[in-house]
Every structure is written in structure tokens, then in C-alpha cells.
Amino acid sequence: MSKYEQKTKETEHDVVEFIEKVDNPKKREDAYKILEIFEETSGYEAKMWGPSIIGFGSYHYKYSSGHEGDAPLVGFSPRKAKISLYFATGDTEREETLKRFGKYTAGKSCVYINKVDDIEVEVLKEMITQSIKFLQNLYPNN
């Protein structure tokens, strides 16, 4: 049985270099705004995770299946279509907080936005803090 190889790992790639490659000037500008918000709020330095995720902090998870790995506590990625914001999966408070967030769509662990002007920045800060707290409580030995 082969061991699962985690695809999204922390890398040494430069975050600013990655943001500079974002084609759309408005999305690039928003990426810098979000970078600042995440760094200030999380207290962690931005690191590249895989080729396209900007992550902040990290935690080690282990599932009952035995699968384990490392992941950023929170993160984002300025994708072509939308900006993906990554938060903890399973945080029950997120649904409530999102009601005050602004214009977005959501997946299991992602919240997608078109631009920073569509959202309430203070609520984004709450979501960052909430997600980090949730994961640090769930995985206390990090």
C-alpha cells in the first residue's frame, strides 16, 4: 500500500512574485489588500503552499483513517475566476458569520469572492481569527 503524498505543501516560492503574476490588475490589487488583512489578523507571515495558495500559519492534522499532513491555518488564492479564501472545515460558527460577510459563494472549506469591495473587511478579520482558534482547539499540539 503506497502512502498518500500530500500535494499542497509549504514551499519556498515568493508570495509577492506569485501575486505579481496575477493577470488582472484589479485582482492583483485585491490580492495585496487580502495579503495585508490576513498577515495583520493572523499574526503569521505569508507562505506559498503548493503552486497557488498563500497560507498563514500551519497545523498538523491526523484523521481516523490514518491520513495525516500539514495545512495552513487560513489562506487565500487569487484565481482567474474568483478569489478563494480558505478557512477551517467543520467550523459551525462560519455559517452565522457569513450572513454579515457580503457577496460570496461558499464550498466546503472555501469562500469565493469577486473583489474586496464586495465584502465586509471586519467580518473577514473575524473569520480569520475564528478559523485559527477553531483549528488550534481541534489540533492543540501544533
Side-chain angles (χ1 to χ4, degrees), residues 56-71:
F56 303 83
S58 69
Y59 68 99
H60 187 79
Y61 60 85
K62 188 170 186 169
Y63 298 139
S64 53
S65 66
H67 172 72
E68 62 181 1
D70 297 297

Side-chain angles (χ1 to χ4, degrees), residues 13-23 28 31-32 48-54 76-79:
H13 294 118
D14 189 85
V15 171
V16 171
E17 209 174 279
F18 171 70
I19 292 173
E20 281 301 314
K21 290 179 184 161
V22 173
D23 287 342
R28 191 167 46 243
Y32 281 117
M48 289 302 301
W49 285 75
S52 61
I53 294 174
I54 300 168
F76 77 97
S77 184
R79 309 244 183 226

